């Protein structure tokens, strides 16, 4: 009997954790923010990356528990849709935020004698090209609710 393939999907939204001095919500940290932080105090930059990863992990963990999602070594297609408050920032700036999003979604595991992705929640095995295929895109701007929509899709085989 032929095996059928089913789609196994996890979807959730991560609201932004950035707010301007005037109280308006901003898009998630992008390349400009990452570079600015790293040129200043390296400890502050590391702290901000940690805060971003924990923010992403909180929403991912909730979605994973709700869906009963468990990571394995199969290829996952990861689609990140960045919802900005406006169209001011360039795509290359916005999409740089994928770095801490993917790090937060990885399974913590040792490499070279140390734990990498220590903040990871295990939505997928690793963020290398053998385990994920990444696609970043922009959604329609939303001043009230900027953030990132995450869709992780993997193929699973039905045993029947």
């Amino acid at each position: 009997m032929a095996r059928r393939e089913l789609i196994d999907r996890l979807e959730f939204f991560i609201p932004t954790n950035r707010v301007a001095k005037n109280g308006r919500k901003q898009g998630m940290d992008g390349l400009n923010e990452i570079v600015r932080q790293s040129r200043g105090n390296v400890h502050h930059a590391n702290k901000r990356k940690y805060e971003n990863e924990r923010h992403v992990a909180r929403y991912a963990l909730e979605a994973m528990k709700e869906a009963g999602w468990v990571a394995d070594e199969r290829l996952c297609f990861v689609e990140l849709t960045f919802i900005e408050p406006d169209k001011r920032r360039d795509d290359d700036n916005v999409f740089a935020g994928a770095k801490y999003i993917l790090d937060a979604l990885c399974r913590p595991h040792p490499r070279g004698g140390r734990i990498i992705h220590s903040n990871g929640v295990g939505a997928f095995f690793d963020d290398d090209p053998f385990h994920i295929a990444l696609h970043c895109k922009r959604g329609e701007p939303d001043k009230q609710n900027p953030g990132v929509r995450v869709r992780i899709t993997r193929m699973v085989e039905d045993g029947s």
Side-chain angles (χ1 to χ4, degrees):
M1 181 180 282
R3 300 183 112 178
R4 294 183 305 160
E5 291 186 352
L6 303 173
I7 300 294
D8 192 13
R9 182 174 288 153
L10 177 67
E11 296 183 61
F12 58 96
F13 181 75
I14 307 162
T16 187
N17 58 344
R18 288 183 61 225
V19 179
K21 290 180 182 178
N22 62 7
R24 288 190 192 139
K25 293 181 180 180
Q26 296 182 315
M28 303 285 271
D29 278 357
L31 184 61
N32 291 345
E33 292 77 25
I34 293 167
V35 168
R36 188 177 311 114
Q37 292 160 8
S38 67
R39 285 183 176 166
N41 183 325
V42 72
H43 299 293
H44 177 71
N46 289 339
K47 179 181 177 190
R48 184 63 188 165
K49 183 176 185 293
Y50 176 82
E51 289 170 357
N52 283 331
E53 288 177 6
R54 294 312 314 151
H55 178 74
V56 171
R58 184 171 46 248
Y59 290 93
L61 221 83
E62 184 179 315
M64 289 169 59
K65 286 179 184 176
E66 189 176 303
W69 183 271
V70 179
D72 58 30
E73 292 199 44
R74 287 177 280 185
L75 178 68
C76 290
F77 301 98
V78 180
E79 183 179 284
L80 303 178
T81 305
F82 289 82
I83 311 297
E84 291 283 297
D86 51 43
K87 293 184 177 185
R88 290 183 186 171
R89 298 198 300 173
D90 295 336
D91 287 351
D92 58 339
N93 183 15
V94 173
F95 297 159
K99 168 66 177 157
Y100 60 82
I101 293 171
L102 295 178
D103 286 352
L105 296 176
C106 278
R107 176 183 71 91
H109 61 283
R111 184 180 293 163
R114 63 185 184 92
I115 298 292
I116 61 170
H117 306 307
S118 59
N119 300 323
V121 296
F124 41 78
F125 191 76
D126 198 355
D127 62 352
D128 62 24
F130 301 106
H131 295 97
I132 70 159
L134 176 63
H135 177 71
C136 294
K137 65 180 187 176
R138 277 185 180 249
E140 287 298 314
D142 185 345
K143 287 183 181 185
Q144 304 304 317
N145 201 21
V148 180
R149 270 196 302 272
V150 178
R151 178 184 292 164
I152 303 170
T153 308
R154 66 180 171 209
M155 299 299 288
V156 294
E157 294 180 358
D158 184 4
S160 57

